[in-house]
Amino acid sequence: MIAKTPPMGWNSWDCYGAAVTEDIVRANADFMAKNLKQYGWEYIVVDIQWYEPTAENHYYHNFTELCMDEYSRLMPAINRFPSAKGGAGFAPLAEYVHSLGLKFGIHIMRGIPRQAVHQNTAVKGSTMTAREISAQSSICDWNTDMYGVNCSTEGGQAYYNSLFELYASWGVDFVKVDDICRGYPVAEVEAIAKAIKHCGRDMVLSLSPGPARLDMAEHMKQHANMWRITDDFWDRWDLLYNMFERAEKWCIHSGITATHGHWPDADMLPIGPINQVYGKENRTKFTEDEQRTMLTLWCIMRSPLMIGGDMTGFDDFTMSLLNNPELIEVLHHTHSAHPLFRKKTEESETCAWITTYENGDFCIALFNLGETETKVTAVLPFGDNYSCFDLWNKKAFAVVDGCIVETLPKHGAAMFRVHFTK
């Protein structure tokens, strides 16, 4: 089954934007294999503009020259990814990542390169050309690389088939498709999903950016493995605060079908060193409490976990967020997560979530969304016959009069596994 549990990995965007290079990818893969693979972390994903030789930060060079083959397909820039020389593409880098026991992923933009359309290049597997299959009125409003594809043409499906056949030959395991989730062009989503099935290799399909359309949830669950419920998520408290409302709307759509998992995606974890193209001193602006809150919410709602920071610069605290097996068990082995309550007064704002383990235990997460230290109380059903374990502090926790009571700092969280002893 593809993505039976929410995918866990690393993505290059938060730390290197469009400018990541092969040596950086390999270094982060080495780190994950040595330090995090045993906890379930497995995907190494190269984000946007890997086909642009001059990329240098999080901004894009409009209408710049891109690396492309004769069939209108973008190729890695060899000045940034030297192992791609001679038409090898990402195959050597994927092979290296696989040799570490990890999986390899890439970012692509929806559509066909404008460069291909202007040059009217060929489409593999079709007599139609790039210009003939393009939908030139369908463009991204923040990146100039692509036109949409007219999927009502046989050449449109052939183009997407040829893309994913190429990615399968490289050994790609994960594809993040951008400029597709928010507007949600149904025909292109279906063409991409069909091309993945056609290519002969299992690949996770991730759709970006959000916010995703709630009215298209069932279609997303049929055709994708994860989809963004937010625009780019960064290290700002207001964005984390707003995620609670998004999580409440989307949590019921996490789960599996007979063939694949489908997971609403709260986006990357901006932890540790981020924005590294602007200087090594740049680290997350989230406090330690806010980072715990983020991980707690992401895990209990069962969002995919994609590390955003450069792992080679992680400190002990950052590692403690990621190497907690009790937390990962919530992500992998619970179901039916939902808010238990949310309360707001003039002095405080608190909330709690609950989810159920596969063995019948349940997990309670408490959150202080306010600006001052606050006591948070969750009342448990069935009296007080419980054993309780604090997942962050990794120790037993006393249930008093059938309640879990914890004093939390501002923007803080706590998480507990509760067993009913009868």
Side-chain angles (χ1 to χ4, degrees):
M1 179 182 289
I2 302 172
K4 184 178 180 180
T5 57
M8 299 169 59
W10 172 84
N11 178 292
S12 61
W13 172 254
D14 283 1
C15 43
Y16 290 101
V20 73
T21 56
E22 182 168 352
D23 58 335
I24 293 168
V25 175
R26 287 177 179 253
N28 278 274
D30 291 341
F31 185 94
M32 180 178 285
K34 181 179 179 181
N35 300 288
L36 290 172
K37 181 175 70 173
Q38 63 268 41
Y39 300 100
W41 301 90
E42 59 178 344
Y43 290 98
I44 296 291
V45 182
V46 178
D47 209 86
I48 197 167
Q49 305 299 121
W50 41 264
Y51 40 79
E52 184 195 336
T54 59
E56 55 190 347
N57 50 40
H58 288 79
Y59 298 95
Y60 309 118
H61 297 145
N62 290 340
F63 306 107
T64 191
E65 187 79 11
L66 308 176
C67 299
M68 189 179 75
D69 74 0
E70 68 271 30
Y71 294 116
S72 310
R73 302 175 299 188
L74 296 172
M75 301 293 286
I78 61 173
N79 64 314
R80 296 170 52 203
F81 299 93
S83 69
K85 64 180 182 296
F90 274 128
L93 182 54
E95 182 179 12
Y96 180 76
V97 171
H98 292 156
S99 75
L100 300 173
L102 303 174
K103 296 180 180 179
F104 180 72
I106 59 173
H107 169 291
I108 67 170
M109 294 293 293
R110 170 186 69 92
I112 189 165
R114 295 189 191 189
Q115 180 174 307
V117 173
H118 299 161
Q119 296 175 9
N120 205 24
T121 47
V123 173
K124 189 174 184 180
S126 174
T127 58
M128 300 183 75
T129 65
R131 189 172 300 159
E132 290 171 322
I133 71 166
S134 64
Q136 295 181 39
S137 62
S138 177
I139 59 175
C140 177
D141 61 7
W142 45 265
N143 182 285
T144 61
D145 292 344
M146 314 294 272
Y147 289 126
V149 170
N150 182 351
C151 295
S152 66
T153 65
E154 61 82 18
Q157 186 63 56
Y159 168 72
Y160 274 123
N161 286 351
S162 74
L163 277 188
F164 284 89
E165 288 167 1
L166 178 65
Y167 303 156
S169 74
W170 289 348
V172 170
D173 307 295
F174 181 110
V175 179
K176 173 183 174 181
V177 183
D178 214 335
D179 187 38
I180 198 167
C181 188
R182 186 186 300 146
Y184 208 71
V186 168
E188 283 197 80
V189 171
E190 293 179 354
I192 290 167
K194 184 177 180 180
I196 291 176
K197 292 179 180 178
H198 177 268
C199 79
R201 184 178 180 85
D202 287 346
M203 295 183 195
V204 171
L205 174 57
S206 169
L207 305 180
S208 284
R213 290 172 49 186
L214 198 57
D215 65 311
M216 297 305 296
E218 295 306 318
H219 192 273
M220 293 176 189
K221 288 157 70 172
Q222 292 175 34
H223 294 91
N225 302 111
M226 48 191 281
W227 55 90
R228 285 265 296 280
I229 64 174
T230 179
D231 203 340
D232 283 5
F233 178 80
W234 285 102
D235 49 340
R236 290 171 23 207
W237 170 248
D238 63 312
L239 298 179
L240 180 50
Y241 176 86
N242 291 336
M243 195 64 71
F244 282 83
E245 182 179 355
R246 297 182 190 276
E248 181 174 356
K249 293 176 180 177
W250 281 103
C251 63
I252 61 172
H253 296 291
S254 295
I256 59 174
T257 69
T259 59
H260 66 276
H262 46 80
W263 312 106
D265 177 15
D267 200 17
M268 286 181 281
L269 305 168
I271 56 176
I274 59 176
N275 291 319
Q276 293 300 280
V277 289
Y278 306 106
K280 294 295 183 182
E281 73 282 359
N282 288 299
R283 299 185 71 87
T284 184
K285 295 180 179 63
F286 277 143
T287 67
E288 291 186 358
D289 290 312
E290 289 166 347
Q291 291 175 70
R292 290 192 195 93
T293 291
M294 176 175 58
L295 265 295
T296 301
L297 180 62
W298 267 234
C299 285
I300 202 165
M301 71 166 283
R302 305 194 76 189
S303 168
L305 300 182
M306 284 289 162
I307 298 165
D310 188 317
M311 292 184 286
T312 65
F314 280 0
D315 56 19
D316 290 344
F317 172 78
T318 308
M319 287 299 296
S320 75
L321 299 170
L322 308 175
N323 62 9
N324 185 332
E326 288 83 9
L327 203 68
I328 301 305
E329 187 174 6
V330 176
L331 183 75
H332 284 178
H333 298 295
T334 63
H335 60 85
S336 307
H338 60 277
L340 193 59
F341 66 78
R342 185 165 180 173
K343 302 175 182 178
K344 186 173 183 178
T345 69
E346 290 184 2
E347 295 79 24
S348 66
E349 184 172 4
T350 62
C351 74
W353 277 60
I354 187 169
T355 191
T356 305
Y357 287 92
E358 293 169 355
N359 73 344
D361 289 354
F362 53 94
C363 178
I364 300 280
L366 307 180
F367 301 96
N368 177 10
L369 306 183
E371 299 302 313
T372 60
E373 182 179 273
T374 302
K375 182 183 293 185
V376 187
T377 301
V379 180
L380 303 177
F382 314 126
D384 58 0
N385 296 318
Y386 297 96
S387 62
C388 184
F389 187 77
D390 183 329
L391 301 188
W392 279 114
N393 293 311
K394 300 187 179 183
K395 64 182 181 180
F397 187 88
V399 176
V400 179
D401 296 328
C403 296
I404 295 176
V405 183
E406 181 73 302
T407 299
L408 296 175
K410 77 170 190 176
H411 305 172
M415 202 174 201
F416 306 94
R417 181 167 186 159
V418 182
H419 174 70
F420 180 50
T421 59
K422 300 180 182 179

